[in-house]
Amino acid sequence: MRLRHALCIGQQCRHAWIRSLSTSQPAGALSKDRVFPSDFPPRFEPQSCEKLYERWEAAGLFQSGRGGGSKYNMLLPPPNVTGRLHIGHALTVSIQDALCRWRRLTGDNVQFIPGTDHAGIATQSKVERLLKDQGVDLTTLSREEKLDHVHKWKEEHGDVIVDQLRQLGVSSDWSQQFFTMDKQCVEAVNEAFIELFKRGLIYRDVRFASWCCRLKTVISNIEIDEEHYDKPTEISVAGYEGKVKVGVMHHVAYPLESGGELIVATTRPETIPADAALAVHPDDLRYRHVHGLNAFNPVTNKPIPIICDTELVDMDKGTGVVKVTPCHDARDYECGLRHGLPLDMLFDEDGYMRLTDGSVVHRFHARDLILESLQSNGFYRGGVGHPMIVQRCSRSGDLVEPILYPQWFMRMGDFCKNAVEAVESGSLQIGSELHQRVWKEWLGKEQDWCISRQLYWGHRIPAWKVVEGLPGTSDASDVSEMEDVWVVGRTEAEAKQQAVSEHGCDPNQVRLEQDNDVLDTWFSSGLLPLSQAGWPSKELSDFYPLSVMETGHDILFFWVARMYMMCTALHPNNQPPFTKVLLHPLVKDASGAKMSKSKGNVVDPLDLINGASYEKLLNEGGGATLSSQKIKETYPDAFPPCGADALRLCLARESGVSQEHCKADFNFDIHDVYAAHGFCNKVWNGVRFAKMLLPADFQPSPLQANDKSYSLLERWIMNKTARLLVNYHTTMEKQSISEAAALLDPYFRDQLCSRYFEFVKVSSNVTEWYEQDAVHHLLVLACRCSYKHEVFCMPYNSYW
């Protein structure tokens, strides 16, 4: 009864399936070799299959303009030009490529544009390390000479990750490949900066920023790793030979001018020399007697005022007395502005400081010396364990230093409001309710964006400071005493013209100096939908807008939000760059831990594709990511070659991606890749079996949906195949990648192979049945149907 019930369901879908497959080619157009290629290999060998990619690319199969349907635009999030492929990249391209292949399958005109990011900090750091290893003194090189070295490195090594993406079978249109510092991107970046500056949305100010002393630049939050310590711990810090003790709250006595002392609790005793005041809460009865008095700095012995501040001080925390160091803490800085405190910068750009005896030492060495001084002078009252969060630069390994520094900023208030309203109105769709809340929470803060970086590799800021020629000045010394005047332009000549026309500068005397800083890499990548559509020099192509923006949820704010806001603001008609955002999860290791080189749990996807011996994992690419202990414990047999199809199928199954939902993360287990490889092999053998049964002169012809000659079993497999198509189309229309991938296994393994093929084997000795033309057609159509819908995650296997 269940079988007969199943046969009744999906009758119309089955008819549509037969019509679509059997009429997709003229009768007699498909020979046996067209159905299954004559060079069908005897075994499933992923590496031999993957050689097909060069043929596909050479034939132009990935280029846009091949489909006659709707336009479907996709932008590959550009990986760093310095990078190697990691599992996160593999997940991203597997999902995006699945969507693009699916759209090609439905007849859409797909434009899938790839590219690479210049990765300012990462690239500059990498090249500088190589130069240092070669014995080159970087201080002797000019900016131009340093840039020459970076450009040379990029030309020699910049396409490594592009070649690795090809190994994954990504069907991008490589003829349109971009680099975020090519001519088109440079024009777009300069035009965007100039336009936003003229609108008053970009300005320069001295504010707090997260500073990496080792790289000597401001870094963004995404380049900061937070480390949690619950007790006193000694840690290593890049650029410092000794150990740094964290997780300790030090109690220090500040003597009062009137006698007595105040105890201050601090985790950073090295900043005491720059203390400008002590702050207490005006309602704290314990300290009402010291209001307006002075205390002595226990390191410099200079008098500092005791001030009252309700915003900085929490009476219930610590001792209720807070040291105020305006140049080394953002909240202290705000307090200093409220009370007119002096701004004394303690550390230089390298993280060194001058002690009272005139010596210059590393800030963490200064911490030890100052603690020794406090103890010897009787001002130290002991240290206790204290939970704390330490911020470390992911690029250098140095601890992040909050520092006051002149920077360029973008006003984000109106941008953020418009982006939040777009989500609330439904004009911008972000998959899950969780990420909609995250979007509103982040953008609701309306914090201005620090867009400058103290590097030489990147888009140099097209802004010039007027150093001579301002009205009312006779020389550069007069200008230096005035507030800085900045002008912008595509060229220095254009900037000079602005200085003359807008600031009244003498055209014969004006002299400009271009800012040495470069723009944050997120600035240039945030313009990609516009720049790749030809803006600003050309009329916008039909690449704008994107059909969907797909990427990892970890850069929803850093890239997706900024891209949406910037492109909308700069588009001639304020058209958004996309209206749909599809997010995928972060990849963690099998135990749920974040993948990182320091933990030794990062897996190189190419090692899974091509296979890797134990020695290779230790000595080559994997040796930098997988620890020998991790290999011995988790991968005792190293990695057998599984192929790109197996990896892509595994990632598609586990991604949990859909239009309405996105998992926060998923645990990546290489045994799931092995299981996917087993399925690929199952498919291979199943199709070889079908090919073996076809007669040499087999010619497919259109089938009739109401043909009464079909047996019960034949109608059953037709029904199952029709259901697969209907469910597959439904899930892919919802962009539910993992759900679509999960449909393939039960159909091919359980229904087609384990039941229908097995019955064919048993019945193959019955000549009358075996020679029926319907059997041959169903074998071909079932295989073609399953293969046709495996292509989105198994492009190599599906070719055969």
Side-chain angles (χ1 to χ4, degrees):
M1 291 296 294
R2 294 178 62 186
L3 178 60
R4 292 186 179 277
H5 178 68
L7 291 173
C8 296
I9 299 176
Q11 186 76 14
Q12 293 180 346
C13 298
R14 181 170 71 249
H15 292 185
W17 165 67
I18 294 176
R19 287 195 302 272
S20 64
L21 288 182
S22 60
T23 61
S24 60
Q25 295 286 344
L30 286 177
S31 67
K32 180 180 176 181
D33 284 345
R34 286 291 305 279
V35 177
F36 302 114
S38 58
D39 55 345
F40 198 98
R43 293 185 305 275
F44 174 55
E45 296 176 345
Q47 290 179 319
S48 63
C49 298
E50 289 161 12
K51 294 177 181 179
L52 292 166
Y53 191 89
E54 294 181 3
R55 290 164 51 184
W56 294 341
E57 186 178 352
L61 299 183
F62 305 148
Q63 294 182 8
S64 60
R66 296 180 60 86
S70 303
K71 192 73 177 177
Y72 189 80
N73 298 324
M74 178 76 79
L75 178 71
L76 179 71
N80 289 351
V81 72
T82 58
R84 283 183 58 84
L85 196 68
H86 57 64
I87 293 295
H89 291 137
L91 175 61
T92 300
V93 299
S94 296
I95 294 170
Q96 291 197 338
D97 197 49
L99 293 171
C100 288
R101 288 179 180 273
W102 159 248
R103 288 297 171 179
R104 288 194 191 98
L105 192 66
T106 60
D108 286 350
N109 180 12
V110 174
Q111 192 170 12
F112 186 15
I113 295 184
T116 52
D117 192 281
H118 64 279
I121 293 178
T123 306
Q124 180 173 317
S125 301
K126 188 178 189 71
V127 175
E128 287 185 349
R129 285 196 301 269
L130 293 173
L131 292 174
K132 288 178 181 179
D133 292 341
Q134 297 169 10
V136 177
D137 184 357
L138 296 176
T139 61
T140 65
L141 300 179
S142 66
R143 181 190 184 101
E144 289 69 26
E145 289 172 329
K146 293 176 182 177
L147 284 172
D148 286 342
H149 281 289
V150 181
H151 280 293
K152 182 179 179 181
W153 180 91
K154 189 267 175 185
E155 292 302 317
E156 294 177 357
H157 306 284
D159 287 334
V160 170
I161 197 164
V162 173
D163 294 336
Q164 293 172 335
L165 289 172
R166 283 184 165 96
Q167 288 191 55
L168 268 175
V170 180
S171 61
S172 298
D173 186 352
W174 297 106
S175 66
Q176 300 192 58
Q177 179 183 344
F178 65 85
F179 175 54
T180 53
M181 283 187 64
D182 59 24
K183 183 176 182 295
Q184 181 63 39
C185 287
V186 169
E187 289 182 1
V189 167
N190 288 340
E191 187 70 21
F193 185 94
I194 292 168
E195 176 63 24
L196 295 173
F197 178 87
K198 290 180 177 179
R199 295 186 194 178
L201 296 174
I202 287 180
Y203 65 96
R204 187 174 173 85
D205 197 6
V206 178
R207 291 190 180 184
F208 263 93
S210 299
W211 183 266
C212 176
C213 298
R214 191 162 174 80
L215 298 177
K216 288 188 285 190
T217 182
V218 167
I219 58 176
S220 65
N221 290 343
I222 201 171
E223 293 158 331
I224 297 175
D225 293 331
E226 290 190 343
E227 302 174 1
H228 297 252
Y229 296 96
D230 296 325
K231 59 183 179 180
T233 307
E234 290 188 341
I235 63 174
S236 298
V237 176
Y240 182 59
E241 295 181 357
K243 294 286 187 179
V244 178
K245 196 169 187 179
V246 298
V248 179
M249 183 69 77
H250 302 276
H251 289 83
V252 180
Y254 286 65
L256 298 171
E257 276 186 339
S258 58
E261 63 185 25
L262 293 180
I263 305 299
V264 173
T266 179
T267 59
R268 303 200 63 194
E270 66 272 21
T271 64
I272 290 177
D275 288 349
L278 295 182
V280 297
H281 196 284
D283 299 332
D284 194 334
L285 299 180
R286 293 172 296 175
Y287 303 116
R288 182 163 292 180
H289 66 287
V290 300
H291 291 184
L293 301 182
N294 287 337
F296 287 103
N297 187 305
V299 174
T300 65
N301 203 36
K302 293 180 180 179
I304 55 176
I306 300 172
I307 61 176
C308 295
D309 195 286
T310 57
E311 296 184 34
L312 181 66
V313 182
D314 184 339
M315 292 186 292
D316 299 324
K317 287 187 177 181
T319 64
V321 183
V322 178
K323 59 190 287 296
V324 185
T325 318
C327 285
H328 296 278
D329 183 272
R331 296 184 69 234
D332 288 8
Y333 175 70
E334 296 298 329
C335 176
L337 293 180
R338 289 193 294 271
H339 296 274
L341 299 178
L343 304 177
D344 295 326
M345 186 73 72
L346 187 62
F347 307 142
D348 63 16
E349 294 179 358
D350 297 301
Y352 282 75
M353 58 181 285
R354 186 179 299 276
L355 299 179
T356 53
D357 62 2
S359 61
V360 177
V361 298
H362 193 281
R363 65 192 188 281
F364 293 126
H365 182 45
R367 174 184 294 186
D368 296 335
L369 295 176
I370 288 174
L371 286 174
E372 291 177 5
S373 172
L374 292 172
Q375 290 173 347
S376 62
N377 292 322
F379 296 124
Y380 190 68
R381 296 294 182 265
V384 295
H386 178 72
M388 65 183 298
I389 299 174
V390 173
Q391 293 189 326
R392 189 188 295 269
C393 173
S394 62
R395 302 290 185 187
S396 69
D398 197 1
L399 299 191
V400 176
E401 195 64 49
I403 191 172
L404 270 178
Y405 206 87
Q407 302 284 352
W408 290 95
F409 295 87
M410 185 186 296
R411 303 185 197 277
M412 303 301 290
D414 290 340
F415 286 170
C416 291
K417 290 178 182 177
N418 294 337
V420 170
E421 289 175 0
V423 171
E424 291 177 341
S425 67
S427 61
L428 175 61
Q429 300 174 25
I430 300 177
S432 68
E433 293 184 2
L434 171 62
H435 292 108
Q436 292 175 18
R437 290 197 300 270
V438 170
W439 179 276
K440 296 175 184 178
E441 179 182 343
W442 279 346
L443 299 185
K445 299 175 183 178
E446 299 183 10
Q447 292 181 344
D448 288 355
W449 173 19
C450 177
I451 59 175
S452 51
R453 298 292 180 268
Q454 289 63 55
L455 305 169
Y456 52 82
W457 174 246
H459 292 274
R460 191 171 181 181
I461 294 177
W464 283 260
K465 183 171 71 172
V466 179
V467 294
E468 289 184 20
L470 281 170
T473 62
S474 57
D475 54 32
S477 61
D478 292 337
V479 176
S480 65
E481 296 176 0
M482 301 174 61
E483 184 177 350
D484 290 343
V485 174
W486 291 88
V487 290
V488 297
R490 298 164 188 82
T491 63
E492 184 175 1
E494 188 176 309
K496 281 186 177 181
Q497 186 178 3
Q498 185 188 18
V500 172
S501 61
E502 297 186 13
H503 299 283
C505 293
D506 185 340
N508 298 317
Q509 300 294 325
V510 64
R511 185 168 67 86
L512 308 179
E513 287 183 358
Q514 186 175 1
D515 195 335
N516 285 321
D517 289 355
V518 302
L519 287 164
D520 183 4
T521 54
W522 295 110
F523 191 96
S524 55
S525 59
L527 297 169
L528 284 175
L530 274 176
S531 64
Q532 297 315 298
W535 185 86
S537 58
K538 303 175 184 177
E539 184 178 350
L540 288 180
S541 71
D542 57 3
F543 179 67
Y544 195 96
L546 302 178
S547 301
V548 64
M549 181 64 243
E550 197 288 326
T551 190
H553 71 72
D554 57 320
I555 54 175
L556 176 62
F557 171 73
F558 293 102
W559 188 35
V560 178
R562 289 166 174 171
M563 187 174 4
Y564 183 87
M565 293 185 284
M566 291 176 66
C567 289
T568 304
L570 292 167
H571 187 275
N573 299 319
N574 298 121
Q575 181 182 9
F578 45 79
T579 57
K580 295 180 180 179
V581 178
L582 185 66
L583 301 171
H584 64 249
L586 296 181
V587 185
K588 296 188 175 181
D589 71 8
S591 64
K594 182 180 179 180
M595 287 188 175
S596 68
K597 292 182 179 180
S598 61
K599 293 181 179 179
N601 62 350
V602 177
V603 177
D604 186 339
L606 295 184
D607 286 340
L608 291 171
I609 293 173
N610 302 321
S613 64
Y614 182 84
E615 291 73 19
K616 181 180 185 297
L617 291 176
L618 286 178
N619 301 324
E620 296 184 14
T625 55
L626 282 172
S627 65
S628 58
Q629 181 71 18
K630 176 67 70 174
I631 295 172
K632 289 179 180 178
E633 292 177 355
T634 313
Y635 317 117
D637 300 323
F639 298 159
C642 293
D645 282 355
L647 177 60
R648 290 177 54 144
L649 178 60
C650 169
L651 293 173
R653 285 172 171 173
E654 301 298 327
S655 64
V657 173
S658 73
Q659 196 165 286
E660 297 85 12
H661 176 70
C662 171
K663 295 194 298 187
D665 49 63
F666 83 87
N667 299 349
F668 178 76
D669 190 334
I670 64 169
H671 295 92
D672 293 332
V673 182
Y674 300 159
H677 176 266
F679 177 71
C680 292
N681 191 62
K682 181 74 172 179
V683 171
W684 187 276
N685 290 330
V687 176
R688 275 182 52 80
F689 168 74
K691 181 177 185 293
M692 178 184 67
L693 294 182
L694 295 182
D697 58 349
F698 174 73
Q699 294 287 340
S701 60
L703 297 179
Q704 300 299 320
N706 59 354
D707 192 333
K708 298 180 179 180
S709 65
Y710 297 137
S711 69
L712 186 64
L713 181 66
E714 290 158 0
R715 283 182 283 146
W716 175 82
I717 193 61
M718 290 167 65
N719 179 274
K720 293 299 182 183
T721 308
R723 283 189 173 190
L724 170 68
L725 264 68
V726 172
N727 293 336
Y728 186 88
H729 279 249
T730 302
T731 54
M732 287 304 291
E733 285 295 334
K734 294 190 303 181
Q735 301 177 115
S736 301
I737 306 298
S738 55
E739 188 178 349
L743 293 172
L744 300 174
D745 195 312
Y747 169 77
F748 200 92
R749 189 192 302 273
D750 299 335
Q751 296 167 1
L752 188 60
C753 292
S754 297
R755 298 187 184 182
Y756 185 67
F757 281 3
E758 289 301 317
F759 185 83
V760 170
K761 290 178 184 179
V762 173
S763 305
S764 61
N765 293 325
V766 183
T767 305
E768 294 79 7
W769 187 90
Y770 175 59
E771 293 180 349
Q772 287 182 9
D773 190 59
V775 176
H776 302 152
H777 279 84
L778 285 176
L779 284 171
V780 171
L781 291 176
C783 289
R784 284 186 62 203
C785 174
S786 58
Y787 260 41
K788 194 173 184 180
H789 293 80
E790 289 163 6
V791 67
F792 84 100
C793 60
M794 297 162 57
Y796 297 113
N797 207 341
S798 62
Y799 168 78
W800 302 102

